[in-house]
Amino acid sequence: SYRVQLQASEKPMLQMPAQDLPGDAIYHVQSGRLVAAIGDCVVTLAAGDSMQASFSHAHALRAEGDEPAEFHLISTQALEGTR
């Protein structure tokens, strides 16, 4: 499990390329708003929201609004190749 805080930005601040690995990432937002692009799907998560996504799809995350987004990332695999 990782605790992550992203400052608001128009560009993705956390990018995870698609990987040929089994497993998932689970995102649980603690505060702020988190915009997640997974493949062609874009969702906005607020405090208390959660989402699960397969590692076989690229993820791009950014905070939206006036405050940082703080969230927990629960990964079933080591996060290699993240930026």
Side-chain angles (χ1 to χ4, degrees):
S1 165
Y2 302 86
R3 184 176 177 187
V4 182
Q5 185 179 70
L6 298 178
Q7 298 299 318
S9 174
E10 290 296 317
K11 296 181 181 180
M13 299 299 291
L14 176 64
Q15 296 183 16
M16 297 171 55
Q19 300 180 37
D20 189 21
L21 294 172
D24 298 305
I26 301 166
Y27 304 100
H28 179 74
V29 179
Q30 297 295 306
S31 63
R33 291 176 11 148
L34 182 68
V35 177
I38 301 170
D40 293 333
C41 180
V42 178
V43 296
T44 300
L45 305 171
D49 291 341
S50 297
M51 149 179 122
Q52 179 177 351
S54 170
F55 285 127
S56 63
H57 300 284
H59 301 111
L61 306 171
R62 67 178 180 85
E64 178 179 75
D66 296 331
E67 63 182 77
E70 185 172 314
F71 61 97
H72 289 275
L73 166 56
I74 301 161
S75 171
T76 60
Q77 295 287 334
L79 296 180
E80 296 179 26
T82 59
R83 302 179 241 152

